[in-house]
Amino acid sequence: MKNARVAYAGAIHQACEFNGQLKLADGRIVDEQDVIWLPPLEPRTVFALGLNYADHAKELAFKAPEEPLAFLKGPNTFIGHRGQTKRPIDATYMHYECELAVVIGKTAKNVKKEEAFEYVCGYTIANDYAIRDYLENYYRPNLKVKNRDTCTPIGPWLVDARDIPDPMNLKLKTYVNGKLTQEGNTSDMIFGIAELIQYFSSFMTLSPGDVILTGTPEGLADTAVGDEITTEIEGIGKLVSTIVSDDIFTKGQDHSHIKIPY
Amino acid sequence: MRALVKARVRLKDSEFSVNVHVSDRHLEMNGKNYELSQVSLDIPITGTVYGTLLNFQGSLEALKEQVHHPPYNQPPIGPVLYIKPRNTFSAFAKPIPLPAGVPELEIGASLGIVISKTATRVKKAQAMDYIEGFTIVNDISIPHESVYRPAVRFKARDGFCPIGPWVVTKDSILDPDCLGIRVYINGELRQENTTANLIRPISRLIEDVTDFMTLNAGDVLLVGVPENAPLAKANDHIRIEIDEIGYLENPIIPEEKLAMEGIS
């Protein structure tokens, strides 16, 4: 089953894929062009892996890590399929990162590698944009690079784990305006899904709704305002986002006109 | 320390606005007077907790020449932030688990700024409008030398972020940029500093952070931990005191003695 969260006709709905369309929980069947796609889950704790593909580590002139290089992400950064990601005016290098996102389904503590997949409820796709201009050498990668508003599209679908027989052998692809620019396979991860679950759960409790973004293969390239970026993972779907100019976010810096009703 | 402040507390399933007598640790709830030890306080916040590193002048100075050499190469330009995930959240008086094989924990005393409404690209001059109040946070770490690319396992363990005991409303605080912070271990004063030593005072920190990321109602931004964080070991009793806010107290207990699931 492929599940989604969408806004349609004035409300937020749980939905699932139904013959190429979306079936809302209330029974309505709607066209996927007619909904606003939201992140398919409201992420709780989100881990992101740095340098988890050998080829990407090489690309960045970095020795493959001996321990997973992980950092955490806040909820501000996530947007849904077909959303807008803003590119800061001063950025000179902003790249996409196609990543398999693993969603935890039950409380996990001290999980053995052999049993790790029992704790996965599903998979989705993330595009974890990074702006290398802001990279500083403290608590790297710093939040200014990796925790910006709108810079992590996720979705469209949360695909049930049972529908993905081998998550460690899926093709990943990124297209910029329809042109293939990044290609890899989840089989090239340095730390696989089971090892990552074993690693994190060895020192902290994982909970339902926690997400592990498993890193990206080589093939990163700069993006420009107006570009449509599609990150695709075999069997999971295609996640599209459009790069928009910072200008439209900076108009009317005074927020006093926005009233929050409480 | 002023005697009476207004605060919000959270018990198991409900929230109360209370008057807190900080100095004698009484709180008035529904017209009745309670001693702090009589009530079971829950974590008073709901959102994401963002920590700030190297925001005390002394903590940056402690790195000395290192900041000009690899891997750092230069002093930080922007605020250095990290996230304390939810499994770390813990309430007043709850034990802090000491992981097996770890002799000591670093006690990270920090003032927590509790955000009241969606804060995006907030200017310094308006920053106070986005603050509900302040709380005390113990940002626990396993001691680690490098701040270049530390593993999350140093800071993200279950129970590594006690928060509370309450959120003191901002109107009760005279000047949040001038609050004394003290850490006592087993009753002995081990660290003393003041938010007057922040590199980025509160308003500036909010401007710099919300310039690139939105803070939401219920989120907490830590102003940072002072230099020379004290170390504590198994069975130590930790008390962090912040002027006008109160005391956050937690014992350190070896994790094998605790039922770990759902520590928060």
Side-chain angles (χ1 to χ4, degrees):
Chain A
M1 181 102 84
K2 290 182 160 184
N3 300 290
R5 275 171 74 239
V6 297
Y8 177 75
I12 290 173
H13 302 268
Q14 290 291 330
C16 63
E17 197 261 348
F18 185 79
N19 294 337
Q21 288 178 294
L22 284 152
K23 185 174 187 177
L24 308 185
D26 62 17
R28 280 179 284 184
I29 294 167
V30 297
D31 204 74
E32 76 142 282
Q33 303 296 328
D34 295 337
V35 301
I36 307 266
W37 290 81
L38 303 171
L41 74 160
E42 292 177 84
R44 192 175 175 276
T45 296
V46 181
F47 304 89
L49 270 290
L51 307 172
N52 198 31
Y53 282 80
D55 53 4
H56 175 47
K58 197 178 69 193
E59 184 177 46
L60 296 176
F62 197 92
K63 192 170 131 263
E66 287 160 11
E67 178 179 2
L69 286 175
F71 52 95
L72 298 164
K73 296 177 69 84
N76 59 298
T77 181
F78 297 101
I79 61 167
H81 174 51
R82 292 212 304 259
Q84 296 181 332
T85 295
K86 70 171 167 175
R87 182 183 168 107
I89 286 163
D90 62 348
T92 64
Y93 193 77
M94 172 172 173
H95 65 245
Y96 49 78
E97 293 189 2
C98 177
E99 307 201 14
L100 177 66
V102 179
V103 181
I104 298 296
K106 59 179 183 179
T107 306
K109 179 75 187 164
N110 290 323
V111 172
K112 299 262 180 303
K113 210 166 80 170
E114 296 70 31
E115 283 146 24
F117 283 104
E118 293 169 24
Y119 294 83
V120 176
C121 71
Y123 301 93
T124 184
I125 305 165
N127 180 356
D128 193 14
Y129 285 101
I131 301 166
R132 299 205 68 82
D133 303 63
Y134 304 141
L135 197 58
E136 290 200 65
N137 293 338
Y138 298 87
Y139 269 73
R140 214 171 128 135
N142 41 310
L143 270 57
K144 201 171 179 182
V145 176
K146 279 289 184 181
N147 201 51
R148 307 182 67 87
D149 290 353
T150 75
C151 281
T152 311
I154 188 166
W157 308 105
L158 174 56
V159 181
D160 286 344
R162 63 176 167 275
D163 295 335
I164 307 294
D166 188 2
M168 290 310 301
N169 185 20
L170 301 173
K171 291 192 184 85
L172 296 83
K173 290 176 181 169
T174 301
Y175 302 85
V176 177
N177 302 322
K179 187 179 160 232
L180 182 68
T181 53
Q182 184 184 31
E183 200 169 6
N185 192 296
T186 58
S187 61
D188 293 328
M189 283 185 203
I190 296 169
F191 299 101
I193 294 164
E195 287 164 297
L196 291 171
I197 290 171
Q198 175 176 265
Y199 172 73
F200 290 120
S201 77
S202 73
F203 59 82
M204 61 195 283
T205 302
L206 304 180
S207 294
D210 286 355
V211 180
I212 303 172
L213 309 185
T214 52
T216 199
E218 71 177 338
L220 307 181
D222 192 23
T223 57
V225 169
D227 281 352
E228 184 187 84
I229 315 295
T230 303
T231 48
E232 178 180 4
I233 301 182
E234 188 182 0
I236 299 182
K238 292 179 183 185
L239 170 70
V240 175
S241 72
T242 303
I243 307 288
V244 298
S245 164
D246 204 8
D247 298 1
I248 59 173
F249 286 87
T250 51
K251 281 180 186 155
Q253 286 271 353
D254 175 14
H255 300 128
S256 56
H257 61 288
I258 298 174
K259 294 279 180 272
I260 292 164
Y262 64 88
Chain B
M1 192 172 282
R2 293 194 300 165
L4 184 72
V5 296
K6 285 203 184 308
R8 176 174 60 72
V9 294
R10 198 145 148 248
L11 306 186
K12 267 208 160 49
D13 293 308
S14 41
E15 288 191 346
F16 294 89
S17 287
V18 295
N19 290 317
V20 175
H21 300 265
V22 169
S23 44
D24 67 359
R25 300 157 58 99
H26 275 73
L27 55 108
E28 294 167 19
M29 193 160 51
N30 293 343
K32 282 188 182 166
N33 226 325
Y34 298 88
E35 208 180 283
L36 192 48
S37 59
Q38 289 178 285
V39 286
S40 178
L41 295 172
D42 204 349
I43 300 156
I45 61 107
T46 52
T48 304
V49 172
Y50 294 94
T52 306
L53 195 80
L54 304 173
N55 196 31
F56 271 84
Q57 280 158 19
S59 66
L60 188 59
E61 283 160 14
L63 280 180
K64 295 185 186 141
E65 276 304 294
Q66 279 187 66
V67 296
H68 300 290
H69 301 297
Y72 310 115
N73 297 325
Q74 60 176 4
I77 298 165
V80 182
L81 302 173
Y82 52 90
I83 291 172
K84 295 289 279 195
R86 281 195 213 177
N87 65 300
T88 67
F89 296 1
S90 187
F92 180 86
K94 288 272 171 66
I96 299 163
L98 180 71
V102 174
E104 289 178 310
L105 297 178
E106 208 171 273
I107 306 305
S110 183
L111 177 70
I113 308 165
V114 183
I115 300 297
S116 62
K117 60 179 180 179
T118 310
T120 301
R121 291 192 154 154
V122 171
K123 291 292 166 211
K124 249 182 348 195
Q126 280 81 46
M128 288 305 286
D129 299 344
Y130 295 80
I131 298 175
E132 179 200 354
F134 299 92
T135 190
I136 305 172
V137 177
N138 189 350
D139 177 6
I140 296 281
S141 306
I142 292 176
H144 54 286
E145 282 280 300
S146 173
V147 291
Y148 168 61
R149 195 166 211 159
V152 290
R153 65 185 162 83
F154 293 136
K155 280 186 167 286
R157 293 182 182 240
D158 295 354
F160 265 29
C161 191
I163 304 168
W166 38 61
V167 177
V168 173
T169 56
K170 67 178 170 196
D171 302 334
S172 294
I173 305 287
L174 222 49
D175 178 7
D177 286 314
C178 190
L179 294 175
I181 299 174
R182 287 165 292 279
V183 177
Y184 295 85
I185 299 178
N186 304 325
E188 186 194 335
L189 181 65
R190 295 283 299 277
Q191 186 184 33
E192 195 167 13
N193 214 308
T194 157
T195 58
N197 292 328
L198 294 178
I199 293 171
R200 284 183 173 78
I202 289 161
S203 297
R204 165 92 193 280
L205 183 64
I206 288 175
E207 174 172 311
D208 289 354
V209 169
T210 63
D211 183 54
F212 68 91
M213 57 180 254
T214 294
L215 295 173
N216 289 301
D219 285 353
V220 179
L221 179 60
L222 310 186
V223 300
V225 169
E227 67 275 17
N228 299 323
L231 298 171
K233 57 187 191 312
N235 305 312
D236 281 351
H237 174 270
I238 314 301
R239 188 175 96 196
I240 299 176
E241 180 179 320
I242 300 186
D243 288 349
E244 300 180 46
I245 298 181
Y247 314 79
L248 172 62
E249 296 180 336
N250 302 85
I252 295 180
I253 306 291
E255 76 177 353
E256 59 268 26
K257 290 194 178 167
L258 298 166
M260 286 299 293
E261 275 184 24
I263 189 76
S264 64

